[in-house]
Amino acid sequence: MTENVGRHALPPERIVRLRPSIQQAAWWQRIPASGPLVFGLISGILLGFGSEWWLSAALLALGLTAATRRWWLIGLVLLAGGVGYVREQSWEHAPDPLARYVGGTLTLSGHWDGQFLSLQDPAAKVALSPKPPGPPGELRVTGVLVKPPGVRIPGGFDYAFWLRAQGVHELLAGAAVKSSVPEGGVRGWFRRGLAAGLGTQQAALMTAVELGDKNAISNETFDNGNADADSVQAAFTRAGLAHLMALSGQNVALLTGVLALLFIRTPLGRIGLARYPVMIVLLGAFLWLVGPSPSITRAVLMGAAVLAGQWFGRGRLDVYGVLALTALVGLAAQPAWLFDVGFVLSYLAVLGLTLSNWAAGRLPPSWPEWIRFPLVATVLAEAATLPVVAGSFHQLPLTGLPANLLAEGVMAALVPLGFLAGLLGPLGFMPNLLNAWLLSALLWIAHTFGQAPVLSWGQIGTAGFAAYAVFAAAGVLWLTRRVRLWALALTALLCMLGTALPARLQAPREVVYLDVGQGDSTLIRAGALRMLIDGGGTPRGDYDVGAKTVVPALHALGVNALDVVVATHADADHIEGLVSVLKLLPVGELWIGQRKTGEPLLSELIDVAGLKHIPVREVRRGDGVQSGDISLTVLWPKGAPWSRSVMVVKQLSPALTGSV
């Protein structure tokens, strides 16, 4: 006769009696209590922020409460909403100890963690521009304290708001390092181990993978070409592998799995149930080591909850309940995380992964599990995060699936071995003998798949998110075998038509002036014509305004190709950005005025046009282009034109000049 073992064991007859009730429970009976509470908290945060979406979150919280029929939750939902509102207001109106110094030239001393400079007196954090090239440590820097810029272009990155979400109010511009002391202690030891015996590019990637620190990798390129178009970081993004350099649940899952194996396969297992609190403490130490970013904090909280459930004999926990609970704790502590893209992507990816068993069941049963589950996990994670990725980054990698399938195999070995190298400090060169091969393989995957084209995407509005929600619901119903495939296909078709047709039926007719700082950049959309006049530039800096400002703005506006690019004259603040525009977008023709010798930027622009097989036209007065009932003409310089058109722009009559 088999006896029950452990203080939480149940009698066999009780186990048999409980299983049918769990299997037969309706979906509304499986809604965790933390679900309505987290949406109540979110509604309060959105209300405090002034977002109109607060009502939707509140209705969802009350709807989930009604579905569970746990009416006692209503009071807790309202309380959670109040907590969310108060916490958001306290964050939004937090005192700024450096406000009185804005506009002044300051010398600051503090700890540089690779992202922000932390001061002790007053207690505050400051962003530095440019970022110091060296490793984290104690810094003494001089610069001008300014308020960071917000959104200046369509689809632009709201740097000021992002810094506020990190608790940073000011930026030290023109930061010049006066003195620095590399970081010591445990973190310094760990960083030295990560880089021991590795080349510069490999060490930079190792630091990004293990610590989420992308400062070094952002300066690495695959060749001596353009640093933005051919950078390692850009290649990872184009290949759909950017998430590998952002700490997430993958790192926690792999490290926790290795710890579990050590406790099972080695004498360490003799400590019995005590292994669970030990692993929880080690997860907390890992969070301290890498820093509490939204995605890694979510992963550590979920890992700790699962381990605690095992410790107390609760067995496998409800993943939706744990997700909601960790979101509740995280947002109550840091309400600004609700607006962090990494936080949102982290939860959406996990929600997608919860359907892995259903999706794997849709594949042929003859396929081995080591193929089915990695495949469906990659597809589900990408599908769940698709609208946020497309709306935030305005592009979708077309090779993400094969690239991720290959990269995940490399990461499964690299993450634990890299962590081991960090623990060994200067002796980390030993595991790095193998890690060097793994890092080279990861770089090859990113470089190879990063050369493929990406699908550009514009801004996503309410209708777009609603259409995706309808499609996602149909997809879940198909996976769980509640609807047939034709219904899913029909839903997808209707959603695509509903969001794509309006823009096709009424083409925009507009002139958009892009804020590129000094210089000009103007987009003209007239019927089917898409023309860009100049692309801005930074004559006294290395910021690529074309790749980082103009192209993202064009993607956000839904412009994925240009018919005509016009370089009015050879000044850097007008045409420097056009070099990256020609590299990153399909372009029909490049128009220039007088072709002059001794103009390096103009020569580079023409050379890029030649490499991309873009025709170059030297236009003169009278040259132009026609699109429907709208036409554009060139007024200067004089000379023999290559085409003849009478240029009058209907309902559109600005004079577009170069420098006057």
Side-chain angles (χ1 to χ4, degrees):
M1 181 177 178
T2 303
E3 295 183 357
N4 294 314
V5 179
R7 56 192 176 99
H8 299 289
L10 295 174
E13 63 275 8
R14 189 177 176 188
I15 296 175
V16 172
R17 192 165 53 247
L18 282 174
R19 287 182 64 86
S21 63
I22 294 175
Q23 293 174 349
Q24 296 171 6
W27 66 269
W28 59 84
Q29 294 174 314
R30 298 196 298 270
I31 297 175
S34 53
L37 295 181
V38 74
F39 283 107
L41 182 72
I42 290 173
S43 69
I45 295 174
L46 293 175
L47 178 61
F49 185 70
S51 171
E52 59 186 11
W53 288 96
W54 76 269
L55 184 58
S56 299
L59 292 175
L60 183 56
L62 295 176
L64 290 174
T65 302
T68 62
R69 300 180 183 179
R70 300 169 185 163
W71 304 111
W72 52 271
L73 276 176
I74 294 179
L76 293 179
V77 167
L78 296 176
L79 177 62
V83 170
Y85 180 85
V86 171
R87 292 292 297 135
E88 193 281 335
Q89 290 293 294
S90 65
W91 162 70
E92 190 169 345
H93 300 290
D96 179 7
L98 295 176
R100 57 179 174 164
Y101 301 110
V102 172
T105 300
L106 304 179
T107 299
L108 303 176
S109 298
H111 178 75
W112 170 250
D113 62 2
Q115 194 167 35
F116 303 118
L117 183 70
S118 297
L119 312 178
Q120 291 186 349
D121 186 21
K125 292 193 296 184
V126 179
L128 303 182
S129 178
K131 288 185 176 181
E138 300 300 316
L139 290 186
R140 184 169 175 266
V141 295
T142 298
V144 179
L145 195 68
V146 299
K147 288 292 184 181
V151 178
R152 302 191 309 177
I153 58 171
F157 179 56
D158 194 340
Y159 188 48
F161 183 79
W162 181 81
L163 287 179
R164 283 290 311 279
Q166 316 304 315
V168 178
H169 294 82
E170 282 84 23
L171 169 74
L172 193 68
V177 178
K178 297 299 183 181
S179 63
S180 64
V181 179
E183 188 173 36
V186 175
R187 289 192 176 102
W189 173 277
F190 193 85
R191 282 181 175 270
R192 287 194 294 274
L194 293 179
L198 296 176
T200 303
Q201 193 172 90
Q202 293 173 332
L205 180 58
M206 176 73 93
T207 304
V209 168
E210 298 292 341
L211 296 177
D213 183 353
K214 296 185 280 291
N215 282 343
I217 199 67
S218 64
N219 298 319
E220 294 296 323
T221 60
F222 282 114
D223 51 40
N224 295 324
N226 180 273
D228 290 294
D230 303 313
S231 72
V232 173
Q233 196 168 357
F236 270 81
T237 300
R238 293 193 301 269
L241 301 175
H243 63 95
L244 300 183
M245 296 188 290
L247 296 179
S248 63
Q250 180 186 53
N251 300 72
V252 173
L254 289 172
L255 294 176
T256 304
V258 171
L259 286 175
L261 283 176
L262 288 175
F263 280 112
I264 293 173
R265 303 294 185 182
T266 68
L268 292 174
R270 295 173 183 173
I271 65 176
L273 290 176
R275 66 181 181 271
Y276 294 116
V278 171
M279 292 170 70
I280 292 174
V281 171
L282 291 176
L283 281 182
F286 173 69
L287 182 62
W288 169 83
L289 178 68
V290 302
S293 65
S295 58
I296 198 65
T297 301
R298 188 275 309 162
V300 168
L301 288 175
M302 286 195 68
V306 171
L307 291 172
Q310 296 288 333
W311 183 19
F312 292 108
R314 296 296 300 273
R316 185 176 180 180
L317 300 180
D318 175 55
V319 64
Y320 299 108
V322 175
L323 267 177
L325 182 62
T326 56
L328 195 66
V329 173
L331 291 177
Q334 296 287 347
W337 282 358
L338 180 62
F339 311 105
D340 186 276
V341 174
F343 179 87
V344 177
L345 290 175
S346 177
Y347 277 90
L348 288 178
V350 176
L351 283 173
L353 293 176
T354 60
L355 299 170
S356 294
N357 286 333
W358 288 103
R362 284 289 188 176
L363 297 178
S366 58
W367 291 14
E369 289 189 356
W370 63 270
I371 291 180
R372 286 192 295 160
F373 280 95
L375 178 61
V376 300
T378 302
V379 172
L380 289 172
E382 291 189 359
T385 57
L386 187 147
V388 177
V389 170
S392 300
F393 305 108
H394 307 297
Q395 63 179 24
L396 289 175
L398 297 178
T399 58
L401 179 58
N404 274 279
L405 288 175
L406 292 174
E408 292 303 328
V410 177
M411 291 290 289
L414 179 61
V415 169
L417 286 175
F419 197 81
L420 175 61
L423 293 177
L424 292 176
L427 298 178
F429 71 90
M430 292 186 290
N432 279 346
L433 293 174
L434 177 57
N435 287 333
W437 290 92
L438 296 172
L439 290 163
S440 296
L442 198 58
L443 288 166
W444 178 85
I445 294 170
H447 190 202
T448 301
F449 289 93
Q451 297 180 54
V454 296
L455 179 63
S456 300
W457 211 277
Q459 290 179 312
I460 301 179
T462 303
F465 283 109
Y468 178 82
V470 171
F471 168 72
V476 172
L477 292 175
W478 176 75
L479 285 176
T480 55
R481 302 183 185 276
R482 289 180 172 86
V483 299
R484 295 185 180 276
L485 182 60
W486 67 265
L488 175 62
L490 180 61
T491 302
L493 178 62
L494 292 176
C495 289
M496 287 190 293
L497 291 176
T499 55
L501 278 181
R504 300 294 187 274
L505 296 176
Q506 187 174 4
R509 298 156 68 99
E510 61 184 358
V511 177
V512 181
Y513 299 97
L514 303 179
D515 186 350
V516 291
Q518 182 177 341
D520 292 311
S521 185
T522 305
L523 171 69
I524 296 177
R525 290 201 285 186
L529 175 67
R530 295 155 299 178
M531 174 184 283
L532 181 69
I533 302 176
D534 288 341
T538 51
R540 290 177 294 276
D542 58 358
Y543 179 81
D544 190 339
V545 69
K548 296 182 178 179
T549 299
V550 178
V551 172
L554 295 176
H555 284 161
L557 292 168
V559 177
N560 304 320
L562 294 165
D563 301 296
V564 179
V565 168
V566 180
T568 59
H569 59 294
D571 286 357
D573 59 344
H574 282 255
I575 69 167
E576 186 180 52
L578 293 182
V579 174
S580 290
V581 171
L582 263 60
K583 287 183 176 182
L584 299 175
L585 290 178
V587 173
E589 293 181 349
L590 171 64
W591 289 6
I592 63 173
Q594 301 284 1
R595 188 190 294 258
K596 298 180 180 179
T597 59
E599 296 286 355
L601 271 178
L602 182 60
S603 298
E604 182 184 3
L605 185 65
I606 294 173
D607 290 343
V608 171
L611 291 173
K612 304 290 285 187
H613 306 291
I614 300 170
V616 179
R617 307 281 190 183
E618 292 188 47
V619 295
R620 299 293 183 266
R621 176 180 291 181
D623 291 335
V625 64
Q626 181 89 29
S627 177
D629 61 346
I630 295 179
S631 55
L632 300 172
T633 189
V634 175
L635 301 179
W636 193 263
K638 295 180 179 179
W642 54 263
S643 65
R644 294 287 185 182
S645 296
V646 178
M647 298 300 162
V648 178
V649 179
K650 185 177 181 180
Q651 297 180 351
L652 190 68
S653 55
L656 299 166
T657 67
S659 297
V660 178

